[in-house]
Amino acid sequence: MLFKNILGHDDTKRALIRSVQNNHVAHAQLFDGPVGGAGIALAWAFATFVNCEDRQPDDACGRCASCSKMRKLVHPDVYHIFPLPRTPKEGEDLLGELTPKWRAFLEEHPYRALPEWLAYINATGNQQGIIPIKESRSIVSKLSLKAFEGEFKIMLFWQPELLNVQAANALLKILEEPPEKTLFLIVSSQSDKLLTTIISRTQRVAIRAFTDEEVTQFLAQKGIDERRARQIAYLCEGNLAEAMRLTNETEDDRHAWFAQWMRKCYSRDFVSLVKLADEFDTLGKEKQKGIFDYTLNLFRDLFLWQNGVEELLRLQDEELSFVQKFGKAVNPGAIELLIQEITDGYYHLERNARAKVLFLDISLTAARTMRG
Amino acid sequence: MADNFVVSARKYRPVTFDTVVGQSHITTTLKNAIRTNHLAQAFLFCGPRGVGKTTNARILAKTINCQSLTEDVEPCGECESCVAFQNNASFNVHELDAASNNSVDDIRNLIDQVRYPPQTGKYKIYIIDEVHMLSSAAFNAFLKTLEEPPSYAIFILATTEKHKILPTILSRCQIFDFNRIQPRDIADHIEQIAKKEGIKTEREALELIAQKADGGLRDALSMFDLNVTFSTDNTVRYKEVLENLHILDYDYYFRLTDALLAGNLSETLLIFNEVLKKGFDGHLFVIGMLEHFRNLLVSKDSATVQLLEVSETAKNKYLDQSTRASLSFLLSALSVGGQCDINYKASKQQRLHVELCLMKMAKLTEVLDLEALAADEKKKPNVGAGPGGVPLASAQNDNNGSSPNAQGNPVNRTDANASSLPTTAEPTITYQNAPNGKGLPLGKLRSTVNLSTSITDTPAPTQVSKPVEVALDALPEKDLPVTMEALKEVWAEFSRMREQNGGAVSEQIMLNRDFLFENMTIELVLDNLHQETLLNEIKPTLLGYLRRKLQNRQIQLSHQIAQSDGKRNPYTPQEKFNVLAERNPALFDLQRLLGLEVDF
């Protein structure tokens, strides 16, 4: 992974490169950004750059021995720490066993989220991903070795928020005063869950989420047509892991569904609302949640439009005209109520409420309140 | 990359007591202890992260083993012991990481080592860092040694979490509580370091770092390093610090508050969007906004202005804005924002969640104005102040308290608030349940919202107490005769009144029944114990009411619980047996002779 392969984030890249050029690399850096952002990719690229034998002014060369090893993540001086599905048994090297999978996982594309990783290694239902104390100890012992061939030993550390209390505390001393030529690159998406004692030992590199344009661009590279890419960008809010998940979903027409639903609610066509609820019930759970997600997004746009903040709307074509027409018709107070209803509904849906009943209930509330 | 870059927190770790920042109460004590040779055998250093626990432990270790102390009790840095220590090669100072060596075996090893006296120097010092992670078995194994170690052994324990340490350990140690370091000290310290490193700084930038560090010097130095790394020309500027540390400039909050005060919703939404575009977290934004309101609230009163921990220019800005924001606005906005903060994580569309919150805040001024308007229309003398100074809660009460027919516009407004202003609306809800069933005459309670008894002297409290006085005073000197009809009428009246005031159904069942009236005593027959409790609760009210209405002090009320007339059906096997045996006594004989037990 080279810096140039990562979309956007030019400021961060420049700062990281400058830190190496000025010989000002802190030994522990916390790449802190949202889920599905560029954190791990940037850490990877940074590690490549640091150990590159022929550093270019604005990127690693990508050709030297170190870079080609880094491309496959098999550099002997780079250690990986990532969440395991369970605590390893006595004498078991679970981390070692899973490392090849981890490499393959990142090589697919580096913008990943924890659930994906757990699915990738076939973790069973209630395995949440943990970093046990054994891994902390192994860090300490691995770092007591000298670097094999590169200049730095690099510890690439993903999801430190999953460290349990013992493991996190066991890291404190080594994190504060590691042996010479050691770099901790810690990639976190929920830094507020880390111990303050860990945060205070690291330099925080803030990473923003991807913009809509960057997501669209990324999806276009993956060969997805523009309209669909824009739609996904609208839904995923800069989370590329989510964007990739959405591309694998079958193309569906949420907007048509939503528009139909709202029209029927507005015209108080109860007979077809009941039919619609039956139809809703037959959709898969993910799809049902998808519709609710979309509804919330669109309600937000309605809300913005009604409050006269049109420049914030990110919609186009038919969706925009829908919002404009619907926004005129619907009662502003109802929007707020419905948002609450749907948020609650989402919660209940996740906890296995009967979709048919839930949907009809929301529809009826909508029909009752919409016209004010 | 020639020499290694070492982060400032390590590079500039103090090596003498004098250079320790902001912990003079501890360094002086330690120095005195060394000078007078009053060293305890065990120390416990505790305090938040990055305030110098480990540093002080090391300095202490170095100082007490130094062979030629300087005049003011500092290590010389030249003798054999000091040099060995500086090279990390001292045989007498052992630093342990208790977090990774936390088992009881590790402690046993340690105890074994303690038995050997030092080969050079006077003391053997054990620094046990992160000591809160020791297992409880390890702690207990350590107790004896910690209490009575050999004369040459000294233990220094360091931790951020004192509460996790056994009390038996605590009582054996001399405890030193480290303070958070004051922002001013941090800023000064960084300035010195910057000078040594040849880095230009802006004072405001340093103060910002110091503030953000929240008392931890290491945090501050990490941030400082970060900013140096990110700067192109070795200068730390305020603007860049804001960006690098991901701090939202308070200007945003000033603009936001102005827009909110003007009720300009679209402007606030645009500001929020701008903030998000810059990559700030929505939740942090909400928290920052609440903090801003808090600062405004604090600057409203000249006595509390000193609680503001901001630079001089910012302070003036706060003072300026606080004159424009009314107290009621701030309180209500805080409560709306607090609610938003609580529900933020649970919300599915968090952005929308914040936007709705902003909308409520933007409408606040409007609502508050209406409140004041309504209050003025009522021409209540107490309300005079309007949105200028009276908190919303009391303004509401004035409206409610005025009279029961005040249910026009103002009450509707209050209802609208109930959804948007959770905390201010709360008291209005609770009052309805609270006085129910107490000795007060409930007939008046609907109209007397007496929440404000403790806050202001609205007319409400007097109204509450009046009927009681009436009940006492109005009792006539002479008792008038009481007829059954009159009594029944008054009784029914009382019952109706209770019903209107939301009395329980069971209460109605109890009241609406026939009773006997003899010798000035009402005899009531109740169905069950529950009714008896109910009756006892309202008895004083009821009697007071009857006596007053009928002008007779002699009326008494007695009751009894009716025996259940229906015959009790046998349920248990034993009961059934008894019933059968009564009919046919031979069964008893059968049971007795054969020694049978009831079981079917």
Side-chain angles (χ1 to χ4, degrees):
Chain A
M1 176 62 58
L2 303 177
F3 280 124
K4 65 176 176 220
N5 301 348
I6 303 170
L7 289 170
H9 296 93
D10 288 334
D11 301 351
T12 322
K13 286 180 200 169
R14 232 174 290 130
L16 287 171
I17 289 169
R18 202 181 309 126
S19 75
V20 176
Q21 285 162 350
N22 295 351
N23 189 17
H24 213 278
V25 184
H27 62 79
Q29 309 204 13
L30 179 69
F31 290 73
D32 187 7
V35 181
I40 190 88
L42 281 170
W44 185 358
F46 184 57
T48 311
F49 185 71
V50 165
N51 267 346
C52 175
E53 290 158 17
D54 178 23
R55 275 198 287 268
Q56 312 291 317
D58 58 349
D59 210 335
C61 68
R63 286 182 307 274
C64 66
S66 163
C67 285
S68 59
K69 281 175 196 155
M70 276 309 296
R71 191 165 54 238
K72 296 184 207 136
L73 284 169
V74 291
H75 198 288
D77 292 320
V78 175
Y79 303 100
H80 302 273
I81 302 283
F82 43 82
L84 305 179
R86 59 185 163 81
T87 318
K89 297 189 195 86
E90 194 64 39
E92 187 189 19
D93 183 13
L94 195 56
L95 189 79
E97 279 169 30
L98 287 175
T99 306
K101 280 195 170 181
W102 167 247
R103 291 183 183 129
F105 176 70
L106 279 192
E107 269 175 280
E108 261 179 36
H109 79 99
Y111 314 107
R112 316 297 301 247
L114 180 67
E116 275 182 277
W117 164 239
L118 291 177
Y120 195 84
I121 51 174
N122 300 321
T124 51
N126 44 11
Q127 291 180 337
Q128 309 258 326
I130 48 164
I131 302 179
I133 185 165
K134 198 168 162 230
E135 301 315 330
S136 294
R137 298 220 171 104
S138 80
I139 292 177
V140 177
S141 70
K142 276 174 188 163
L143 289 186
S144 57
L145 303 173
K146 272 219 176 319
F148 284 99
E149 45 188 52
E151 191 179 346
F152 281 92
K153 283 167 289 176
I154 295 170
M155 190 57 80
L156 206 55
F157 199 144
W158 191 52
Q159 298 267 338
E161 50 270 24
L162 293 172
L163 282 165
N164 65 17
V165 187
Q166 284 91 16
N169 275 290
L171 271 184
L172 289 177
K173 291 297 270 185
I174 187 110
L175 203 53
E176 177 157 31
E177 294 177 333
E180 268 183 279
K181 304 255 170 195
T182 305
L183 281 186
F184 281 94
L185 303 180
I186 304 174
V187 183
S188 167
S189 52
Q190 289 172 297
S191 56
D192 51 334
K193 284 197 181 161
L194 289 174
L195 290 185
T196 51
T197 36
I198 287 198
I199 292 175
S200 105
R201 281 163 168 81
T202 57
Q203 236 181 49
R204 182 168 174 277
V205 182
I207 294 163
R208 62 173 170 78
F210 286 102
T211 60
D212 281 7
E213 289 74 44
E214 283 161 0
V215 176
T216 322
Q217 211 182 327
F218 174 78
L219 291 175
Q221 283 172 11
K222 299 263 167 195
I224 288 160
D225 76 272
E226 204 200 324
R227 201 182 65 84
R228 175 91 180 124
R230 252 200 342 256
Q231 240 178 15
I232 292 177
Y234 171 60
L235 283 174
C236 72
E237 314 236 331
N239 180 344
L240 278 186
E242 176 74 7
M244 284 307 278
R245 195 183 64 78
L246 288 173
T247 52
N248 294 333
E249 268 187 10
T250 47
E251 169 109 24
D252 61 327
D253 210 347
R254 295 167 201 229
H255 177 68
W257 220 97
F258 172 76
Q260 183 197 7
W261 181 25
M262 284 301 122
R263 279 189 198 112
K264 289 198 169 132
C265 286
Y266 190 75
S267 60
R268 304 203 175 159
D269 182 357
F270 295 114
V271 178
S272 37
L273 273 178
V274 173
K275 280 187 198 133
L276 206 60
D278 281 344
E279 201 185 311
F280 185 76
D281 198 46
T282 58
L283 302 173
K285 179 161 278 181
E286 282 309 311
K287 203 146 180 205
Q288 292 168 350
K289 281 198 223 161
I291 288 177
F292 277 1
D293 267 336
Y294 183 84
T295 312
L296 281 176
N297 273 334
L298 218 82
F299 273 169
R300 172 166 177 270
D301 289 318
L302 268 176
F303 168 76
L304 291 177
W305 192 83
Q306 284 187 336
N307 285 298
V309 207
E310 275 156 71
E311 52 263 61
L312 287 187
L313 293 188
R314 296 183 295 165
L315 298 170
Q316 273 160 3
D317 315 336
E318 46 169 342
E319 291 177 329
L320 185 65
S321 66
F322 176 83
V323 165
Q324 285 168 347
K325 279 187 217 138
F326 196 57
K328 270 180 221 153
V330 75
N331 165 25
I335 295 285
E336 199 187 331
L337 182 78
L338 285 178
I339 287 165
Q340 189 56 43
E341 281 284 318
I342 291 193
T343 312
D344 288 350
Y346 202 107
Y347 178 86
H348 294 138
L349 204 59
E350 276 176 337
R351 281 153 189 78
N352 297 325
R354 183 65 197 245
K356 202 193 291 187
V357 182
L358 191 81
F359 184 83
L360 191 59
D361 179 45
I362 295 177
S363 308
L364 292 180
T365 317
R368 205 176 57 238
T369 50
M370 246 180 211
R371 285 205 223 165
Chain B
M1 205 177 285
D3 273 331
N4 265 329
F5 166 72
V6 181
V7 292
S8 320
R10 281 174 73 190
K11 192 169 175 187
Y12 295 100
R13 201 187 258 287
V15 287
T16 56
F17 282 125
D18 271 352
T19 45
V20 174
V21 180
Q23 305 291 0
S24 56
H25 63 296
I26 284 168
T27 49
T28 345
T29 320
L30 288 176
K31 268 157 93 174
N32 287 340
I34 296 170
R35 185 183 297 130
T36 53
N37 214 0
H38 271 183
L39 279 175
Q41 84 278 10
F43 298 90
L44 175 67
F45 290 175
C46 50
R49 76 258 120 62
V51 293
K53 298 178 296 294
T54 311
T55 307
N56 266 310
R58 287 189 188 160
I59 299 175
L60 180 64
K62 188 176 168 190
T63 315
I64 43 193
N65 256 343
C66 177
Q67 286 150 355
S68 54
L69 278 182
T70 58
E71 288 274 305
D72 53 344
V73 205
E74 295 286 2
C76 64
E78 284 159 6
C79 67
E80 192 189 337
S81 159
C82 287
V83 170
F85 181 86
Q86 277 153 13
N87 294 334
N88 254 339
S90 173
F91 282 121
N92 295 334
V93 179
H94 304 263
E95 193 170 330
L96 287 155
D97 174 13
S100 34
N101 306 301
N102 61 349
S103 68
V104 68
D105 284 337
D106 297 316
I107 289 295
R108 285 198 190 119
N109 273 339
L110 175 79
I111 296 170
D112 282 345
Q113 283 182 34
V114 173
R115 285 196 311 213
Y116 303 106
Q119 298 190 325
T120 55
K122 288 175 282 184
Y123 293 104
K124 237 178 155 177
I125 295 135
Y126 295 85
I127 300 175
I128 309 181
D129 217 344
E130 317 296 347
V131 74
H132 59 273
M133 288 310 291
L134 282 183
S135 68
S136 74
F139 267 133
N140 283 309
F142 196 30
L143 283 177
K144 285 302 279 180
T145 317
L146 195 60
E147 181 161 23
E148 291 174 335
S151 58
Y152 47 79
I154 286 183
F155 295 98
I156 308 175
L157 316 183
T159 179
T160 43
E161 297 176 60
K162 189 170 138 194
H163 56 275
K164 282 195 182 165
I165 295 175
L166 293 184
T168 39
I169 293 270
L170 291 179
S171 80
R172 283 167 171 81
C173 298
Q174 234 177 48
I175 300 175
F176 289 87
D177 278 304
F178 284 66
N179 289 339
R180 274 171 207 277
I181 303 172
Q182 292 301 314
R184 178 182 305 277
D185 292 340
I186 295 183
D188 289 345
H189 188 68
I190 301 180
E191 202 163 13
Q192 284 170 20
I193 289 179
K195 246 179 228 149
K196 282 185 207 157
E197 293 275 305
I199 292 162
K200 285 182 269 266
T201 56
E202 282 176 12
R203 181 70 193 181
E204 210 176 6
L206 297 183
E207 269 170 12
L208 184 69
I209 292 179
Q211 225 170 67
K212 176 88 175 164
D214 191 25
L217 191 56
R218 188 176 47 219
D219 296 53
L221 290 174
S222 295
M223 289 178 212
F224 172 70
D225 281 345
L226 180 83
N227 280 295
V228 174
T229 310
F230 279 23
S231 81
T232 37
D233 54 354
N234 270 353
T235 313
V236 178
R237 290 192 191 82
Y238 180 76
K239 271 259 165 324
E240 287 160 9
V241 171
L242 276 180
E243 214 158 280
N244 295 335
L245 295 188
H246 218 62
I247 304 172
L248 201 48
D249 192 0
Y250 51 72
D251 272 346
Y252 280 105
Y253 293 121
F254 279 112
R255 273 169 55 203
L256 183 84
T257 313
D258 278 338
L260 284 177
L261 284 172
N264 187 346
L265 178 57
S266 52
E267 173 73 25
T268 57
L269 293 182
L270 285 175
I271 293 175
F272 179 52
N273 183 55
E274 202 181 324
V275 168
L276 288 185
K277 271 269 157 60
K278 290 200 151 200
F280 290 99
D281 180 35
H283 201 190
L284 287 180
F285 170 79
V286 174
I287 293 171
M289 182 168 66
L290 291 179
E291 208 160 283
H292 182 80
F293 289 146
R294 178 256 175 201
N295 283 345
L296 288 177
L297 201 62
V298 162
S299 28
K300 275 208 96 75
D301 190 337
S302 55
T304 49
V305 170
Q306 52 177 328
L307 294 178
L308 274 183
E309 283 175 359
V310 293
S311 63
E312 205 53 41
T313 41
K315 196 181 225 167
N316 289 334
K317 276 188 171 178
Y318 275 115
L319 285 174
D320 172 48
Q321 192 166 54
S322 71
T323 52
R324 272 175 282 144
S326 72
L327 195 60
S328 42
F329 169 79
L330 289 177
L331 288 174
S332 314
L334 274 171
S335 102
V336 172
Q339 208 58 29
C340 173
D341 178 26
I342 293 169
N343 295 329
Y344 185 85
K345 287 274 167 196
S347 162
K348 267 284 152 222
Q349 242 286 9
Q350 300 178 323
R351 189 165 175 186
L352 180 59
H353 185 67
V354 179
E355 282 165 343
L356 284 175
C357 159
L358 288 176
M359 180 186 79
K360 284 176 191 161
M361 286 187 188
K363 297 230 166 109
L364 272 180
T365 32
E366 211 176 298
V367 173
L368 290 171
D369 281 347
L370 275 175
E371 283 290 328
L373 256 170
D376 283 344
E377 277 167 15
K378 284 270 150 265
K379 299 245 183 327
K380 294 288 294 178
N382 290 19
V383 187
V390 177
L392 185 58
S394 73
Q396 275 178 7
N397 288 326
D398 284 342
N399 284 337
N400 287 347
S402 55
S403 75
N405 4 334
Q407 304 202 340
N409 197 18
V411 174
N412 283 342
R413 292 290 352 158
T414 334
D415 288 346
N417 287 346
S419 57
S420 62
L421 312 173
T423 45
T424 42
E426 207 169 29
T428 2
I429 296 161
T430 46
Y431 82 89
Q432 284 178 334
N433 311 333
N436 233 351
K438 296 277 160 57
L440 291 174
L442 298 181
K444 293 280 183 187
L445 265 180
R446 270 273 136 159
S447 58
T448 54
V449 184
N450 71 337
L451 160 83
S452 50
T453 15
S454 54
I455 309 170
T456 52
D457 53 345
T458 53
T462 45
Q463 279 189 8
V464 173
S465 51
K466 232 183 236 161
V468 183
E469 288 159 22
V470 170
L472 296 174
D473 296 348
L475 283 187
E477 290 301 306
K478 246 184 101 187
D479 297 332
L480 299 177
V482 177
T483 63
M484 188 66 183
E485 287 74 41
L487 177 63
K488 285 226 157 150
E489 204 168 292
V490 175
W491 183 278
E493 207 174 285
F494 179 78
S495 159
R496 264 201 310 283
M497 207 171 67
R498 296 287 302 187
E499 189 180 13
Q500 276 165 11
N501 288 321
V505 178
S506 49
E507 193 181 282
Q508 286 298 310
I509 294 175
M510 178 192 72
L511 287 172
N512 296 336
R513 61 176 64 217
D514 280 334
F515 48 81
L516 293 173
F517 185 59
E518 281 170 354
N519 299 331
M520 286 299 161
T521 304
I522 303 166
E523 275 178 31
L524 206 57
V525 181
L526 301 178
D527 294 335
N528 50 35
L529 277 173
H530 173 63
Q531 290 185 343
E532 185 178 19
T533 359
L534 271 179
L535 183 65
N536 283 336
E537 267 176 27
I538 62 165
K539 201 167 175 178
T541 330
L542 177 60
L543 272 181
Y545 188 80
L546 293 177
R547 287 177 191 170
R548 185 154 41 85
K549 282 278 173 186
L550 296 169
Q551 306 277 300
N552 189 318
R553 284 174 300 175
Q554 309 293 323
I555 301 176
Q556 294 296 332
L557 180 65
S558 77
H559 65 269
Q560 61 186 45
I561 297 176
Q563 297 297 322
S564 57
D565 44 356
K567 209 167 138 198
R568 202 174 141 73
N569 287 326
Y571 284 120
T572 65
Q574 183 67 50
E575 280 171 358
K576 287 180 187 164
F577 173 78
N578 288 344
V579 171
L580 289 176
E582 246 170 61
R583 279 189 221 150
N584 185 358
L587 279 177
F588 281 121
D589 293 334
L590 185 69
Q591 187 195 25
R592 190 169 35 96
L593 287 172
L594 295 177
L596 299 174
E597 285 177 7
V598 182
D599 176 29
F600 44 86

